[in-house]
Amino acid sequence: TTNQAMAITPAALRSLAPTGVLRAGINLSNFLLVPTRGPAGEPEGVAPDLAAALATRLGLPLELVPYANPGALGDDAHAGRWDVGLIGAEPKRAETIGDSSGPAATLRRPAP
């Protein structure tokens, strides 16, 4: 099922989430990724859902690390505060956050 842990080596898992918790950087200013907040103010939407699904598949607990904007999230890319960052494509951030495979997902607003 989709809720089962992924087959991943312990070394790879430690490399991805060295604290034993998947820390996901979440850009709160992108209404496509985080359109609403829950009762306790927690982010809700595509980005938190993707982070939760990844944590579940990896068999790890999840910690959402909120950022006010994509610049702040991107600037922390090498600070060790998050393990995965859910951020929109932005040429300036591509200078410091590398991913040769391109975006993992492309979100588009449906036509009216």
Side-chain angles (χ1 to χ4, degrees):
T1 69
T2 58
N3 289 333
Q4 292 179 337
M6 293 173 62
I8 185 169
T9 67
L13 195 56
R14 279 191 306 275
S15 177
L16 177 62
T19 65
V21 173
L22 184 68
R23 300 169 300 164
I26 303 290
N27 169 19
L28 298 177
S29 70
N30 187 325
F31 68 91
L32 293 174
L33 299 177
V34 184
T36 59
R37 300 291 180 93
E42 70 276 12
E44 293 182 330
V46 173
D49 289 351
L50 285 171
L54 179 59
T56 297
R57 294 289 304 267
L58 293 171
L60 294 172
L62 174 66
E63 176 187 348
L64 297 180
V65 182
Y67 286 88
N69 57 61
L73 192 157
D75 290 346
D76 263 1
H78 301 289
R81 293 186 181 100
W82 51 264
D83 306 311
V84 297
L86 293 112
I87 186 171
E90 184 180 337
K92 182 177 181 194
R93 299 296 152 220
E95 295 172 9
T96 58
I97 302 173
D99 180 2
S100 61
S101 66
T106 301
L107 304 178
R108 289 185 170 66
R109 181 181 284 189

